[in-house]
Amino acid sequence: MDPSTLATLDTLKRRALEAFGAGRLEEAVGLYRDLLAQDGTAADLWNNLGVILSELKRPAAAAAALRTALVLRPDYDKPWVGLGSEAFGGDRLEEAVRCWTRAIRLEPRQGAGLWFNLGVVRQMRGEAVEAAAVFDRAEALMSDDPRVASQRLLCLNYLDLPGERLLAEHRRFDERFGDGIGGARKPAVPHANRPDPEKRLRIGYLSVEFREHLGAYFLTPLFEAADRGRFDIVCYSILPDSHADAYTARFRAQADGWRNVGHLDDEGLAAQIRADGIDILVDLAGHSGLNRLPMLALRPAPVQVTWLGYPNGTGMASVDYRIVDPVSDPIGPTDGHAVETLVRLPAPFLCFRPPAAAPPVVPLPAGATGAVTFGSFNKLSKITDGTVALWAEVLRRVPDSRLLLKDRPLSDSGTAAGLRARFAAAGIDPARLDLVGFIKDAAGHLAAYNRIDIALDPHPYNGTITTCDTLWMGAPLVTLAGGRHAARVGASLMTAIGLPELVAATPDRYAAIAAELAGDLTRLMRLRMGMRERVRASALCDEARFMRNLETAYRLMWRRWCDQRRSDG
């Protein structure tokens, strides 16, 4: 090209990049098309066009541009990154893994964001071991990002690791992002809270779950059954406005104070909590989701607690207590799995508000199909190789039975095929599996439970919301009690509803219980038709009982702080 043409192209490139950077996407598309009209063999231009078209939610056009870039330059890594993102956005998870893995092979020095995204997808597909290895790499590249560290810790809970090993991993988080980075993060000024052991307490709840997903199930009693004469409730919502729903509005109306805090940095959030005079701050996230754990190292409240949203401790010395129960965390062994002091409520450690719009329980599905259907609606990330082996043994002992599994990633044919292959490797005919993907409406999702005769709990990471849904829809659950909290939630819930005989101590007993249930349809029908009343009348749904126990625990925590404050002079 002559110099003037090159100069024109350089000017167009600068303008295109400037428009893209400024968010003027349509203008950027036009400029890139002008550039390609003059030089259609430039792979980088096709790639950039594909990225912008993806931002504009034009997946077909974006994919076409990215594939053109690869035709022109087969060893180009960036289009593979873009194609993986397009696949992920379309729930084509196997394709996303393939594209992102190809990008990494072409350029091993990929940024941490790609490694992180690859880990998330592999975890979603039920490849927890592989996901953990990918998160190791992402963490090495983003060692100063607590979100990556938390995601890795969440992933480790899916693996069959002892509680002591997980504690060591969680302590490392505190060394990097909490108290371990230096006492300078701890406020020098003592808390101004009045150390009156019987005063009306201000309880602060910090969460992203003030919405239907978790809130509707387990947080409602915190608002509706609280003793407002003795406790104020202040909510610190990390939830983006785009995710707020009717439950968010309801919680906000019921709270004594409400703060949207997603925009605040750690120091700003801690200052707000201090200014509000919170006596006990309760973190509801742990290492899941949009947590704010590093902020807790600033000790904004005299007493800090973690509960509910994460099946493990935080590992942080600045978190004083973790709320559990004697079944989920037996006294003695599990105390060594947490930095926090374990506060054991009378079981269970949570309270379930059944969904009001749940469809009715239908008669035993086996009566219509002629065969017992086992099932689980848990995330594929919980279906480890150990769980596959456990469930395969159940299916061997009940030869005519089927297994129904439901999770959104199963909408992806590649992910579904991969899961079938895992059961085939365990000696189970893949044709015995019924795999169900995403069902948009809540009622339709709950109605799908009516296809299950007996629910199977994964191990070592049990279900919680899925277990409550399963029981409410009439299916009894068989669970294997392990050695740490995540592996004992099923035992806690089944004990709470009066069915401890469905809790197994060994894998062999787990398979035996499932087979015995499948062989006694009369018992199974009796359990099914009485399950809702059993759950409704149990400690699992006794909101008043739960809140009095929780508030008693809060008061004891507060008195201990008051005693310590007085002893410190």
Side-chain angles (χ1 to χ4, degrees):
M1 294 184 184
D2 61 74
S4 63
T5 301
L6 288 173
T8 300
L9 289 175
D10 286 342
T11 300
L12 282 174
K13 287 179 182 179
R14 284 195 299 272
R15 288 176 56 200
L17 289 171
E18 178 189 347
F20 183 29
R24 302 193 305 273
L25 302 186
E26 292 289 2
E27 178 185 340
V29 167
L31 290 167
Y32 274 111
R33 293 203 185 281
D34 289 343
L35 282 163
L36 289 166
Q38 298 185 55
D39 183 8
T41 63
D44 60 327
L45 298 181
W46 283 107
N47 176 74
N48 292 354
L49 176 61
V51 170
I52 298 169
L53 289 169
S54 180
E55 290 279 329
L56 287 168
K57 310 298 183 188
R58 300 176 193 169
L66 294 168
R67 294 194 182 283
T68 301
L70 288 172
V71 169
L72 294 167
R73 197 167 123 197
D75 62 347
Y76 194 9
D77 61 299
K78 290 182 179 179
W80 288 111
V81 175
L83 288 169
S85 298
E86 280 302 317
F88 179 68
D91 287 335
R92 302 188 308 278
L93 303 186
E94 183 188 42
E95 183 181 339
V97 169
R98 188 170 61 250
C99 291
W100 286 340
T101 301
R102 182 70 174 272
I104 287 169
R105 286 175 182 163
L106 288 169
E107 177 46 80
R109 295 171 298 179
Q110 292 288 342
L114 181 61
W115 286 95
F116 181 83
N117 292 343
L118 179 59
V120 169
V121 177
R122 299 209 76 156
Q123 181 176 299
M124 290 173 65
R125 281 170 47 84
E127 300 163 351
V129 172
E130 295 83 354
V134 174
F135 286 132
D136 283 346
R137 176 63 174 163
E139 188 176 47
L141 293 169
M142 297 178 72
S143 59
D144 60 345
D145 191 334
R147 295 170 300 176
V148 177
S150 281
Q151 182 64 42
R152 175 180 173 273
L153 289 172
L154 173 62
C155 184
L156 292 180
N157 284 285
Y158 296 114
L159 308 183
D160 197 4
L161 301 175
E164 294 79 8
R165 162 73 189 282
L166 288 170
L167 173 61
E169 294 285 353
H170 285 71
R171 281 185 183 276
R172 197 163 68 87
F173 180 91
D174 198 30
E175 292 168 2
R176 295 163 58 204
F177 304 108
D179 288 357
I181 66 174
R185 287 208 66 182
K186 298 180 182 179
V189 180
H191 293 96
N193 306 61
R194 179 165 52 92
D196 176 357
E198 303 305 322
K199 74 168 191 170
R200 189 182 190 198
L201 294 178
R202 287 177 67 77
I203 309 295
Y205 290 109
L206 174 65
S207 181
V208 73
E209 294 292 358
F210 295 118
R211 53 177 170 160
E212 183 175 9
H213 171 61
L214 181 66
Y217 280 77
F218 304 126
L219 300 187
T220 302
L222 302 181
F223 296 81
E224 296 186 4
D227 181 350
R228 294 307 182 89
R230 305 191 72 203
F231 299 89
D232 275 341
I233 297 172
V234 181
C235 296
Y236 298 90
S237 178
I238 314 167
L239 184 70
D241 289 341
S242 59
H243 289 76
D245 59 21
Y247 281 92
T248 309
R250 185 182 308 172
F251 291 144
R252 180 168 188 162
Q254 292 174 328
D256 297 294
W258 184 276
R259 305 276 187 259
N260 289 318
V261 300
H263 64 288
L264 296 177
D265 62 14
D266 286 350
E267 288 72 19
L269 177 52
Q272 180 66 69
I273 293 168
R274 271 190 169 253
D276 289 335
I278 297 302
D279 298 308
I280 299 176
L281 179 65
V282 185
D283 159 63
L284 297 173
H287 286 281
S288 66
L290 293 174
N291 72 74
R292 298 299 299 270
L293 291 182
M295 185 275 302
L296 297 179
L298 297 173
R299 280 207 167 265
V303 178
Q304 300 190 152
V305 184
T306 189
W307 172 57
L308 189 63
Y310 183 67
N312 212 319
T314 62
M316 302 187 70
S318 55
V319 180
D320 306 296
Y321 301 101
R322 179 163 174 252
I323 296 171
V324 294
D325 69 50
V327 180
S328 71
D329 294 75
I331 296 173
T334 57
D335 290 287
H337 298 169
V339 170
E340 305 90 346
T341 297
L342 298 184
V343 175
R344 295 176 173 89
L345 302 184
F349 64 94
L350 50 76
C351 189
F352 169 55
R353 170 73 68 92
V361 175
V362 302
L364 200 66
T369 64
V372 167
T373 298
F374 297 100
S376 170
F377 284 21
N378 281 277
K379 293 179 180 178
L380 296 188
S381 46
K382 296 184 180 182
I383 304 179
T384 61
D385 289 345
T387 295
V388 170
L390 196 62
W391 292 352
E393 180 58 26
V394 170
L395 293 174
R396 274 190 286 272
R397 296 195 188 193
V398 189
D400 295 328
S401 64
R402 301 189 64 76
L403 177 61
L404 186 152
L405 302 175
K406 180 184 179 298
D407 189 24
R408 179 169 188 151
L410 290 173
S411 298
D412 171 43
S413 60
T415 297
L419 185 59
R420 292 185 189 279
R422 292 174 65 196
F423 276 89
I428 299 301
D429 181 357
R432 296 177 67 183
L433 270 60
D434 297 315
L435 304 183
V436 180
F438 181 59
I439 298 176
K440 185 175 182 180
D441 65 291
H445 167 75
L446 289 170
Y449 281 96
N450 275 328
R451 297 172 59 183
I452 295 175
D453 295 291
I454 302 168
L456 300 178
D457 210 8
H459 186 85
Y461 193 151
N462 299 165
T464 305
I465 288 179
T466 51
T467 296
C468 291
D469 276 343
T470 296
L471 297 173
W472 192 246
M473 293 307 299
L477 175 92
V478 180
T479 187
L480 171 61
R484 56 185 172 91
H485 179 92
R488 299 188 61 86
V489 171
S492 175
L493 298 178
M494 295 309 292
T495 300
I497 68 166
L499 290 174
E501 64 270 24
L502 300 187
V503 180
T506 66
D508 181 72
R509 185 60 190 146
Y510 180 102
I513 291 171
E516 289 163 7
L517 267 179
D520 189 346
L521 296 187
T522 300
R523 180 190 178 199
L524 203 53
M525 175 66 95
R526 189 164 57 247
L527 279 172
R528 183 179 191 86
M529 301 318 293
M531 190 66 73
R532 279 201 179 171
E533 186 52 38
R534 172 188 290 273
V535 171
R536 194 190 334 261
S538 74
L540 181 59
C541 289
D542 192 337
E543 297 182 4
R545 170 188 178 273
F546 174 78
M547 284 306 299
R548 297 299 83 80
N549 289 331
L550 180 63
E551 289 170 345
T552 297
Y554 286 161
R555 184 63 62 179
L556 291 172
M557 296 173 194
W558 179 248
R559 288 173 180 164
R560 184 176 296 179
W561 180 81
C562 291
D563 290 344
Q564 182 64 46
R565 179 72 176 271
R566 284 195 294 267
S567 66
D568 289 344

